[in-house]
Amino acid sequence: MPSLYKMPVEQLGGIGKKKSELFAKLGIMNVGELIRFYPRTYEDWSMPYTIASAPENTPCCIRASVDKVYAPARLRGGMLLLKVDVTDGEDCLKLTFFNQQYTFDKLSSGGEFLFYGIVKANSFGYEMSSPQVMTTDRASIHPIYHQTAGLSTKQTEAAMRQAIRLLPEKVNDPIPQNILEKYNLCTLDFAIRNIHFPETMIHAAMARERLAFEELMTLQLGLAQMKTARREITTNRISNIFTDEFTALLPFELTGAQKKAVDDCIKDMSESCYPMNRLIQGDVGSGKTAVAAAVCYNVIRNGMQCAFMAPTEILSVQHFKSLSELLENTGIKIELLTGSLTASKKKAVYERLANGETDLVIGTHALISDSVSFKKLGLVITDEQHRFGVAQRAALISKGESPHIMVMSATPIPRTLALMIFGDLDISIIDELPPGRQKVDTFLIDGDKRDRAYGFLKKEIAAGHQCYIVCPLVEENVSGLASAEEYARHLQETVLSDCRIGVLHGKMKPKDKESVMDSFTNGETDILVSTTVIEVGVNVPSATVMMIENAERFGLSQLHQLRGRVGRGKNRSYCILVSDNQSETTLERLSVMCRTNNGFRIADEDLRLRGPGDFFGSRQHGLPELKIADLSGMELLEKTQSAARTILQDDPLLEKKEHRGLAFAVRSLFAAGGNTLN
Ligand code: ADP
Ligand code: MG
């Protein structure tokens, strides 16, 4: 099987340069990848129905002989209408085809065929419109593949038939025999052949289960290996604790949950000979930044450097500013490193990091550039980590010698998913908000009430507060949704002409973004109209209203994140969700937001209502993309986790000969994805 990964698809009959480019679009470069391109569903032509027993409104296969062929008719507009009657010996089925001269000619010579389509019964008898037609020797289950323009599922099927013929007589199974037996799984040989060309749907289901198991187990093996690989003794243990010295710098008292999180980290870094590997999960506004600062302070005072990576430029700048202010008279040197610095400034930062002058560097993924090196990197922090790929985290970590790792996530994640995504981390949860925080009152309105909402915004602004308005789309006006810029212009020219309005969207230059953000932070603008770039982490305490247009376009967790931008100060705050979508499921989903402010509860609801595939946008979890398994089934997750554990107990690094196939599978899974920034 591995050798098929070296054979380009062009070597298959009927596939030239053009077609191989189409296959490449589907992510298929070679025959091995083609074989691992699984059908999305099947058409069952294997057990034809009689005409009378055909299911209602469901496509099915009918076996019947040609009874009567009508003379073709030309419709207005030039379309050719072709009619044929067929019979199964009991009943007659009237077929109509449009513009299908070739099929028509085939049927004209008579005989028995298979027809696939929906049988409709009415007072004139049975009818089927534009069925697919095959000869009776094709009575089997046909796989249906994802298509791309110019490459039909039939063409993929034809290529697949050839590919399957190239398989060795017996495909080696990467999963050890004892695991196959324990979990009652079919062999890879059976699975590969039957996922594409099953004899029965039961075989297809067995194949699918086995392949999903393999994929999830491979994922677990990969994650577990990363954890083991990091289990090196660290030289970055901290010996003295400076938490009290740090808290004296704060203008507030840490909450109990914050203290606990800091203590967890200090314990990890001082008591164990292994590096810390910890996730800090806290709801929006729970004060994760102060926790990060406390941990950095300890590491720096123990003579090491820290790197703090945030997903966006805006967030990096914000963290940079708040930490610089906090650590002002401490002698600690902080720097910002983002893609928009000039080359010479970057170079200077690189130098100061390499010679140890800089204690703490904050930045975007510019931090993982090859030019960045540290004198003694003791701690790596990634903020809002699910936006980073596993590989990016690894790249930053590799710049130190077993540095401690702290991951901060502001998206409360349901347990089922946390287990997968952060399976390699210890977890601290900040489940307490700083005192004085109020819940954000949330309302759901339809577009008719928009003017009243603007009136409300005006009142808040008159009281000296600020407002966010979020529109989901940037720039152009694809589906009739206003772009941020247009929307802002409209407000400025009409209802909110006496307010100062700023606009922020993803396509702006970092410098421009920063200055728009600055004037909002400094209170020089009243309203910030933006796309979702403000989603994570932005902190402007005097903002009291978050108005979200087309709220139905967001997931609940995302809405919760957005809502978390307000209610950060002393003032009562509000969230207005605007949606004209009246579907029941949408209303149910959005009403969850009005009912609760608890991020963990919202996350559970979101998972329940949308399923895990949509929970994070497909890329956002930073895991490799899965082909066949999904993350919803706790049962399969647990089974594969325990299977992976069994294997690794015996062979932690998958070095044994019999695990070569698994090691290969892990490498290919993690090579294919996981290194994309969204
Ligand atoms: P998040 O967890 O969403 O990243 P931040 O770290 O941005 O939250 O903190 C939100 C706000 O709460 C900031 O203005 C911060 O200064 C403030 N804050 C953090 N911890 C406390 C505390 N213990 N008491 C009072 N205010 C706090
Ligand atoms: Mg934050």
Side-chain angles (χ1 to χ4, degrees):
M1 184 86 179
S3 67
L4 293 184
Y5 282 87
K6 298 205 181 86
M7 182 189 285
V9 282
E10 269 182 85
Q11 290 196 12
L12 297 173
I15 298 182
K17 192 162 163 28
K18 254 213 180 115
K19 243 199 220 148
S20 74
E21 277 164 13
L22 294 175
F23 274 109
K25 262 196 189 166
L26 295 171
I28 302 165
M29 315 300 275
N30 53 56
V31 176
E33 285 171 350
L34 178 64
I35 288 175
R36 293 291 193 164
F37 184 67
Y38 306 129
R40 110 191 124 69
T41 181
Y42 302 89
E43 279 174 6
D44 189 351
W45 296 60
S46 71
M47 293 193 294
Y49 286 83
T50 60
I51 295 167
S53 70
E56 232 178 293
N57 289 327
T58 312
C60 69
C61 180
I62 302 285
R63 183 179 180 130
S65 323
V66 176
D67 191 25
K68 184 170 180 193
V69 176
Y70 296 84
R74 193 58 75 186
L75 299 181
R76 233 179 293 160
M79 200 184 300
L80 197 59
L81 173 67
L82 306 162
K83 287 185 161 195
V84 179
D85 289 351
V86 297
T87 174
D88 60 5
E90 294 282 327
D91 295 285
C92 173
L93 179 65
K94 292 181 168 306
L95 308 177
T96 45
F97 298 94
F98 299 95
N99 288 343
Q100 290 196 44
Q101 188 68 50
Y102 171 76
T103 308
F104 185 77
D105 293 345
K106 193 161 72 176
L107 296 180
S108 294
S109 45
E112 204 178 16
F113 293 90
L114 301 170
F115 302 96
Y116 195 92
I118 295 177
V119 175
K120 287 215 175 91
N122 58 32
S123 48
F124 303 109
Y126 297 102
E127 293 179 351
M128 195 187 255
S129 178
S130 305
Q132 298 182 58
V133 182
M134 286 200 206
T135 48
T136 51
D137 59 327
R138 308 282 311 273
S140 58
I141 295 171
H142 292 274
I144 306 296
Y145 297 97
H146 280 290
Q147 316 190 26
T148 182
L151 188 62
S152 69
T153 173
K154 283 229 173 73
Q155 290 168 319
T156 302
E157 181 182 341
M160 200 67 76
R161 283 193 193 279
Q162 298 182 53
I164 294 290
R165 260 181 254 129
L166 295 174
L167 285 173
E169 197 166 316
K170 184 96 189 116
V171 177
N172 279 335
D173 204 319
I175 301 186
Q177 187 64 27
N178 60 333
I179 302 254
L180 290 181
E181 276 165 24
K182 178 162 179 201
Y183 296 96
N184 206 5
L185 301 169
C186 65
T187 61
L188 179 61
D189 190 75
F190 180 92
I192 283 288
R193 296 172 203 273
N194 282 275
I195 193 76
H196 296 293
F197 304 110
E199 224 165 83
T200 69
M201 289 309 289
I202 293 174
H203 288 172
M206 284 164 63
R208 188 162 291 268
E209 186 185 326
R210 137 85 207 209
L211 294 169
F213 188 102
E214 179 180 314
E215 189 172 42
L216 275 188
M217 188 176 78
T218 305
L219 180 62
Q220 314 262 10
L221 286 171
L223 290 173
Q225 269 193 299
M226 278 195 262
K227 192 172 181 174
T228 322
R230 286 197 21 81
R231 283 255 134 193
E232 292 164 8
I233 307 270
T234 183
T235 54
N236 300 319
R237 263 170 98 162
I238 63 174
S239 30
N240 297 306
I241 297 172
F242 295 86
T243 305
D244 290 341
E245 196 177 299
F246 170 80
T247 49
L249 302 169
L250 287 173
F252 45 73
E253 286 253 335
L254 290 178
T255 63
Q258 282 172 316
K259 270 188 212 142
K260 167 90 173 45
V262 174
D263 288 348
D264 286 345
C265 294
I266 300 300
K267 221 166 155 190
D268 288 349
M269 295 189 298
S270 59
E271 291 181 6
S272 163
C273 57
Y274 297 115
M276 163 167 86
N277 203 18
R278 183 169 290 276
L279 169 69
I280 307 288
Q281 232 198 330
D283 210 341
V284 275
S286 59
K288 291 182 290 295
T289 317
V291 172
V295 176
C296 285
Y297 191 86
N298 273 289
V299 170
I300 292 165
R301 283 286 182 252
N302 277 276
M304 293 172 279
Q305 294 168 289
C306 305
F308 189 155
M309 183 158 72
T312 63
E313 180 121 11
I314 289 184
L315 268 179
S316 308
V317 171
Q318 190 180 290
H319 283 319
F320 174 71
K321 285 186 181 154
S322 59
L323 291 180
S324 300
E325 205 174 299
L326 188 60
L327 301 175
E328 211 176 351
N329 299 308
T330 59
I332 289 175
K333 288 242 160 39
I334 309 185
E335 296 219 55
L336 180 66
L337 180 61
T338 64
S340 63
L341 290 190
T342 61
S344 65
K345 283 209 173 121
K346 273 185 202 154
K347 196 157 164 268
V349 176
Y350 297 153
E351 267 171 35
R352 289 192 293 268
L353 283 172
N355 68 23
E357 243 179 277
T358 302
D359 300 303
L360 166 60
V361 64
I362 299 172
T364 55
H365 54 285
L367 290 176
I368 60 181
S369 144
D370 281 341
S371 318
V372 175
S373 65
F374 293 84
K375 181 148 186 244
K376 185 155 182 56
L377 179 61
L379 169 69
V380 165
I381 301 181
T382 53
D383 189 11
E384 326 294 350
Q385 112 92 29
H386 65 268
R387 297 210 157 205
F388 292 110
V390 169
Q392 287 176 311
R393 202 188 337 153
L396 185 52
I397 292 163
S398 71
K399 294 188 182 291
E401 279 169 40
S402 310
H404 300 291
I405 295 166
M406 176 171 167
V407 171
M408 302 202 296
S409 169
T411 311
I413 294 164
R415 261 197 60 75
T416 34
L417 289 187
L419 197 68
M420 279 303 293
I421 297 169
F422 300 115
D424 60 335
L425 302 172
D426 301 313
I427 300 182
S428 296
I429 290 177
I430 310 184
D431 52 2
E432 182 184 351
L433 295 182
R437 288 285 163 74
Q438 303 156 6
K439 83 182 228 312
V440 177
D441 288 328
T442 303
F443 306 95
L444 175 59
I445 64 171
D446 57 37
D448 294 346
K449 306 234 172 59
R450 203 176 269 120
D451 278 336
R452 278 178 59 188
Y454 293 142
F456 181 72
L457 261 59
K458 272 197 210 169
K459 262 202 257 165
E460 282 294 308
I461 291 164
H465 306 155
Q466 288 163 284
C467 310
Y468 295 100
I469 302 179
V470 173
C471 331
L473 278 193
V474 213
E475 262 42 85
E476 74 284 11
N477 216 325
V478 198
S479 47
L481 296 167
S483 72
E485 270 169 358
E486 224 171 89
Y487 189 103
R489 202 175 314 129
H490 170 75
L491 291 184
Q492 192 77 82
E493 284 165 6
T494 59
V495 272
L496 298 174
S497 53
D498 41 1
C499 299
R500 297 164 302 172
I501 303 179
V503 187
L504 194 65
H505 59 76
K507 291 195 181 156
M508 288 164 65
K509 291 203 189 78
K511 272 266 167 296
D512 298 338
K513 276 192 209 166
E514 201 183 318
S515 79
V516 170
M517 216 41 233
D518 275 347
S519 40
F520 190 68
T521 311
N522 301 333
E524 289 154 21
T525 40
D526 304 311
I527 300 180
L528 184 63
V529 175
S530 95
T531 57
T532 52
V533 281
I534 57 158
E535 183 188 341
V536 277
V538 171
N539 188 33
V540 180
S542 56
T544 56
V545 185
M546 167 61 68
M547 176 166 168
I548 303 171
E549 290 281 353
N550 298 100
E552 75 282 352
R553 300 193 140 228
F554 297 96
L556 287 183
S557 296
Q558 223 180 343
L559 288 173
H560 180 64
Q561 282 291 314
L562 288 168
R563 179 169 64 182
R565 298 309 112 218
V566 298
R568 305 191 137 235
K570 294 256 168 325
N571 303 304
R572 184 152 179 195
S573 298
Y574 308 87
C575 175
I576 305 171
L577 306 173
V578 188
S579 176
D580 283 320
N581 185 320
Q582 292 298 314
S583 89
E584 211 167 292
T585 41
T586 305
L587 292 178
E588 186 192 345
R589 215 158 59 77
L590 294 178
S591 70
V592 173
M593 293 294 297
C594 304
R595 281 202 303 273
T596 180
N597 272 248
N598 181 315
F600 287 92
R601 211 172 306 150
I602 288 172
D604 282 338
E605 279 292 300
D606 206 10
L607 182 63
R608 187 177 68 77
L609 293 169
R610 292 205 304 171
D614 290 332
F615 183 77
F616 302 118
S618 63
R619 287 268 169 84
Q620 291 202 1
H621 45 55
L623 290 174
E625 224 167 295
L626 300 176
K627 287 197 168 81
I628 193 164
D630 70 39
L631 296 173
S632 61
M634 194 60 190
E635 202 190 339
L636 189 59
L637 267 177
E638 280 172 353
K639 272 192 205 166
T640 51
Q641 212 156 33
S642 108
R645 220 174 291 135
T646 312
I647 291 170
L648 292 172
Q649 249 160 25
D650 170 43
D651 182 13
L653 295 172
L654 298 181
E655 287 164 328
K656 291 194 175 169
K657 189 159 167 272
E658 65 265 32
H659 294 146
R660 218 180 264 163
L662 283 179
F664 177 76
V666 170
R667 277 199 308 279
S668 354
L669 184 67
F670 281 82
N675 48 6
T676 38
L677 240 195
N678 72 318

